Amino acid sequence: MNKPVARISALSLSLMLLAGCATTSLTSAPESPAQSQALALIDQGKPRDAAVQLEALANTLKGSARAAALADAAFAWHDAGDNARARSLLAQVTARQLNGASLQRYHLTSAELALADKQPAQALASLKESSDTVVPQLRTRWQLARADALQGTGDSIGAAQERARAHAALTGKARTDNQQAIAGLLGTLDDATLRSRAAALPANEPLYNFAGRALIARGLPLPRPFDREQAVQFDTSKRPPAMSDGYRPPLKMAVLLPLSGRLATAAQPVRDGLLSGYYAETRRRPDIQFIDTAGTAAGAVAAYDKAVGAGVDFVVGPLGRDEVDAVFGRAQLPVPVLALNRGKSSPPAGSAGFSLAPEDDGIIAAEFLRGRERSKVLVVHSNDDNGRRAAAAFRERFAQRGGQVVATIGVGEAVGDISAQIRAAGSVDGVLLAVKAPQARTLAPQLALAGAGGATRVGTSQLTVGAGKAEEDMALDGIVYPNEAWNVRGVAGLPSASTAGQILPNARGAAGRLFAFGFDAWKISAYLDKMANEGGLAGATGTLFLDSNGNVLRVPAWSTFSGGRPMPIANAN
């Protein structure tokens, strides 16, 4: 295309371009050879050439054949960026002269032009036909145009449904952007509406799984387990039948961890937590083998191949992000994997991913504040990777949910005086503190003196790093943060967090979070069927759910500081 085409929302246009939908194969209808050859030029990235040939062809035809060629030429001119010419040709065509794909191209072009004119109702009238009956080459584009039209008429749920139906045909950035757009549409709904509309969706309606993820992020229950296509079923066929509580562990399991290298310190509490759950189980347990990945992508791939060669039927790990991407990037995974970090994309079919990613903290903090009707928020984050990632995820979700981030301030390990920046942000009713305890102790009085002391202050899980002395942590009083369920309530199979910390060094302090994470990795491996088919699993890090993409979602417990000591908050979700 010579220039951007203003016909639908910029997001929908980019999705279609990235997905290859704007230049589609349109030869499914019974066109003449000349018409088919001209339309094929659109596939080749030559819509202008196609338009010229189709218009010339139309001048040699009469009746319905001429109308079809003109409609197709209008479609091609529209794709080439010449909307004026497209409109001129459409005006020469009567819809009743058309049928098949030419009629659908006529309606789609008319709708996209109406959207460019900010006339969504008119666009919707052109797209009355169900996308199920639209030729496959036009279907995704049709659905995205309908989504824009429905959104323009105020129907957020209808728009989200159309985007969800288009989602399977999208790939790469187009798929990611579409998922964010659906989250944004669902974010406009209040809790009661989201719950009722999700419950009303029929089985296998594509929107249900998106709505379910939105419910979990808000700490709300699922009306039913996630819908699951055959492609994302988990192969547990080699395992004996499940016990009454759903316990169905593997027969032989490998755990891939960086037992040496730069990530070894993080791997130790994960290993100890997993083994604590493993040895606490008195029923049948799998043979278990730990394999060192050395913290590298190549090491992770080699460890996976070693596990497969040893005959395991389930793999837990690897732990590093690069390691996960390397294993998930394999053409085939003959043995299913529960990865212990978030990769660049969703887990491959038949595998799953579980993480304590900073992005999750940002998302649940945004939901916490919006759930309490906070609308104007100041974001303060540490300038390390965790702080930046949590803040970015918070900003995106908070905006999707209709909130406004009025200012974002990054701080170093040694926090300077930022009171002027806080005052410049103006009046806020919420503050996100994506920082560690020492930084938060310095920031808390500055927030109060700058006039933001009365705002609801929410931290991330990093808030506990560097905490532990009540006389110092009194500065943190009133800050709410997501906590591991293990620190707040009892978890079957584990002693209390305080007791475990006295016994095991790797279960105390900041390492305690990774210990709980390792325990949950064991639980997930043993209750994978239950999670896939029945819903939530009570874990040490929170209540765990498995979505339709193989991602483990977590609803944390919530705590606050009072008198310098962490205290649980009841019914915070």
Side-chain angles (χ1 to χ4, degrees), residues 213 217-218 342 358-369 389-390 393-398 400-401:
R213 287 191 283 273
R218 300 188 194 188
R342 175 178 294 178
E359 289 85 356
D360 298 335
D361 275 359
I363 290 169
I364 58 181
E367 294 291 356
F368 183 93
L369 286 167
R389 288 166 59 190
F394 176 90
R395 287 193 299 268
E396 180 178 310
R397 178 54 63 91
F398 201 65
Q400 289 173 347
R401 295 282 278 115

Side-chain angles (χ1 to χ4, degrees), residues 207-232:
L207 182 61
Y208 179 76
N209 289 335
F210 292 93
R213 287 191 283 273
L215 287 167
I216 288 173
R218 300 188 194 188
L220 300 173
L222 287 174
R224 64 175 188 270
F226 284 101
D227 293 332
R228 228 165 267 286
E229 297 293 338
Q230 186 64 33
V232 294

Side-chain angles (χ1 to χ4, degrees), residues 64 67-68 70-71 89-99 103 106:
S64 59
L70 285 174
L89 295 185
L90 286 179
Q92 302 176 44
V93 178
T94 302
R96 65 174 177 269
Q97 297 175 289
L98 304 172
N99 57 48
L103 177 61
Y106 170 85

Side-chain angles (χ1 to χ4, degrees), residues 415-463:
V415 179
D417 183 358
I418 64 166
S419 54
Q421 293 170 271
I422 298 171
R423 284 192 292 271
S427 176
V428 297
D429 53 16
V431 177
L432 173 71
L433 292 167
V435 297
K436 299 174 184 174
Q439 295 165 307
R441 287 194 291 260
T442 302
L443 289 166
Q446 293 191 44
L447 289 167
L449 292 172
T456 301
R457 297 168 299 161
V458 178
T460 64
S461 56
Q462 289 290 296
L463 189 68

Side-chain angles (χ1 to χ4, degrees), residues 9-44:
S9 78
L11 173 60
S12 290
L13 175 60
S14 67
L15 294 184
M16 291 188 294
L17 291 174
L18 287 166
C21 301
T23 56
T24 51
S25 174
L26 303 171
T27 58
S28 58
E31 298 118 357
S32 68
Q35 190 177 1
S36 296
Q37 290 172 9
L39 286 167
L41 292 171
I42 299 178
D43 267 350
Q44 300 168 27

Side-chain angles (χ1 to χ4, degrees), residues 289-370:
Q289 178 182 6
F290 287 84
I291 304 176
D292 186 11
T293 67
T296 67
V301 170
Y304 178 81
D305 289 341
K306 183 177 180 180
V308 173
V312 305
D313 60 301
F314 195 70
V315 171
V316 174
L319 183 63
R321 296 178 76 190
D322 292 342
E323 295 179 308
V324 172
D325 285 332
V327 171
F328 279 177
R330 298 289 293 273
Q332 289 185 328
L333 292 178
V335 176
V337 170
L338 172 66
L340 298 181
N341 208 325
R342 175 178 294 178
K344 293 178 181 177
S345 57
S346 294
S351 290
F354 178 38
S355 73
L356 297 179
E359 289 85 356
D360 298 335
D361 275 359
I363 290 169
I364 58 181
E367 294 291 356
F368 183 93
L369 286 167
R370 286 303 289 147

